[in-house]
Amino acid sequence: AGAYATTRGHFPEAELARAMRTPPPMPEGEEIELQECVLSALGDDNKVLFNARLQGPAPEVLNWEATCKRCERSMKDRKPDKQASQIPYPVFIPSRGRPAKAHLNWQATHVFGAPEDKPPGFRPVVCLVIEPAEEEEYRATWPSSLMLILPESNRGPGYARWVVQQVCTKFCLEGDPTNPQRFQRIWIVDDTLTMFYRLALMEKFVGCGRLRRPKRMKYRVANEGLMFMEALLAVQKHHFIGRAAVAGFLRDDGTAVCKRNDWKMDELALYKVVMLDLCELWRLGVEYMPQLQMYEDICLNHDVLTRGGHTLKCQCYGFRAVHAKKGGCLKQRDGRQKPGQTRLK
């Protein structure tokens, strides 16, 4: 069941990976006007924890601001965000050391597609999370991207995700702590993803007893449309999403077609693509460990379950990601003392 023999050639990952590594085309004869603002992450007492810079083309910054106001208005009115069934929550993509190899083009035809002509606040927010030491290199490669510049460099993946969580939980423009802003839910995604596909139940398969599993129960369906958009919205529309602190997907290791259930609750193995309910995480008192160099998502999920929270895992969609040989947090992870252990700094 773990072999791809029946689907080999139907999932051209090389082409999809190439599309996500290629920056979107720039309009001829137009210069990109960058805007920048300083975001101050706020603690429970509205004390400034740190500052991070948000930088990008003017339309992307305006879309960020409008999306934030829409989310804030929805939370104050205590009404569900009706746009959540049509627009993915803001997507943050931490990346380090591979501006030319990272899969950062979310305008690719199988991801979110080219930006539609919609007013600010009604387009997906996609934000790269970059270390300050690599800002110029990433900006030269991805000139039209919205970027969140971390306060410090060389702190590892746990720190990058912790910064994103703290900023989005509550922040303000520098010098204006009386006007805090926040997002309710966000996505944090690795920069190595290549594709999503749907797992559909086979019409005929041989049933087995409880202790014996069939070799194959489902088959993979890769649509030609916006695969990423379809998968993320499927999670956002699930009826359990209001109770889940963390949600995510099944990574296909070759056995995805053997999964019996389309959805599972309180699963620990959620990583690479996670949706965070920031309000629920705040209620539970759970956050990323900034010192952690690996297993940062697993550690977060463990803390959620330990404190009585819930997670949601989607198994009717699966994703594939490349194994990067350069960049990211490979240097920190290669320096660990023993297999299976992590190291705190």
Side-chain angles (χ1 to χ4, degrees), residues 37-83:
C37 57
V38 179
L39 307 181
S40 299
L42 302 176
D44 294 339
D45 55 356
N46 281 355
K47 182 179 179 180
V48 176
L49 302 177
F50 57 83
N51 291 330
R53 291 185 293 117
L54 182 72
Q55 184 191 84
E60 298 300 325
V61 175
L62 289 175
N63 188 49
W64 164 286
E65 295 173 348
T67 301
C68 186
K69 290 179 181 178
R70 175 169 57 81
C71 294
E72 185 73 21
R73 184 167 55 251
S74 175
M75 287 188 285
K76 285 184 177 180
D77 296 342
R78 295 186 177 182
K79 295 181 179 179
D81 186 2
K82 296 181 180 179
Q83 297 299 325

Side-chain angles (χ1 to χ4, degrees), residues 152-275:
E152 302 178 37
S153 299
N154 299 318
R155 291 289 303 272
Y159 175 76
R161 285 157 175 76
W162 176 79
V163 168
V164 172
Q165 182 185 359
Q166 297 301 320
V167 168
C168 295
T169 298
K170 186 190 289 188
F171 70 92
C172 68
L173 296 178
E174 186 181 28
D176 187 18
T178 60
N179 185 28
Q181 305 175 57
R182 54 187 170 168
F183 290 110
Q184 183 177 10
R185 297 184 179 94
I186 62 171
W187 290 94
I188 299 184
V189 183
D190 269 20
D191 64 350
T192 57
L193 265 66
T194 58
M195 67 176 298
F196 272 93
Y197 52 79
R198 183 168 54 87
L199 290 162
L201 191 66
M202 298 177 66
E203 295 183 1
K204 296 180 181 180
F205 60 87
V206 179
C208 298
R210 190 171 65 89
L211 300 180
R212 294 184 61 192
R213 294 177 179 268
K215 289 186 177 182
R216 188 178 180 87
M217 297 181 64
K218 299 179 179 179
Y219 63 97
R220 302 171 180 87
V221 180
N223 299 329
E224 295 183 358
L226 307 177
M227 294 187 288
F228 280 60
M229 179 86 74
E230 179 182 328
L232 299 190
L233 291 181
V235 172
Q236 294 179 195
K237 295 176 183 178
H238 195 272
H239 63 85
F240 192 73
I241 204 64
R243 298 178 58 193
V246 182
F249 294 93
L250 176 72
R251 180 177 184 177
D252 190 0
D253 58 357
T255 61
V257 293
C258 300
K259 303 300 181 182
R260 292 177 178 270
N261 300 320
D262 286 343
W263 301 86
K264 293 190 72 175
M265 284 68 174
D266 298 339
E267 279 286 300
L268 183 65
L270 298 172
Y271 53 93
K272 287 191 177 292
V273 189
V274 293
M275 191 216 72

Side-chain angles (χ1 to χ4, degrees), residues 276-328:
L276 306 182
D277 187 323
L278 301 173
C279 296
E280 181 66 7
L281 290 174
W282 177 83
R283 185 188 71 82
L284 296 171
V286 175
E287 60 185 39
Y288 280 104
M289 291 182 62
Q291 303 89 351
L292 211 56
Q293 301 297 316
M294 60 189 300
Y295 302 132
E296 59 280 351
D297 290 325
I298 300 297
C299 182
L300 181 80
N301 301 335
H302 179 268
D303 287 348
V304 166
L305 297 176
T306 300
R307 301 193 184 197
H310 299 283
T311 64
L312 174 66
K313 186 172 186 177
C314 175
Q315 296 189 148
C316 54
Y317 287 88
F319 70 88
R320 291 185 185 173
V322 300
H323 294 278
K325 298 180 180 179
K326 181 181 179 182

Side-chain angles (χ1 to χ4, degrees), residues 324-343:
K325 298 180 180 179
K326 181 181 179 182
C329 54
L330 293 181
K331 185 176 295 185
Q332 292 96 329
R333 292 177 174 175
D334 288 344
R336 62 186 186 271
Q337 295 296 320
K338 297 180 181 179
Q341 295 185 354
T342 187
R343 182 173 60 186

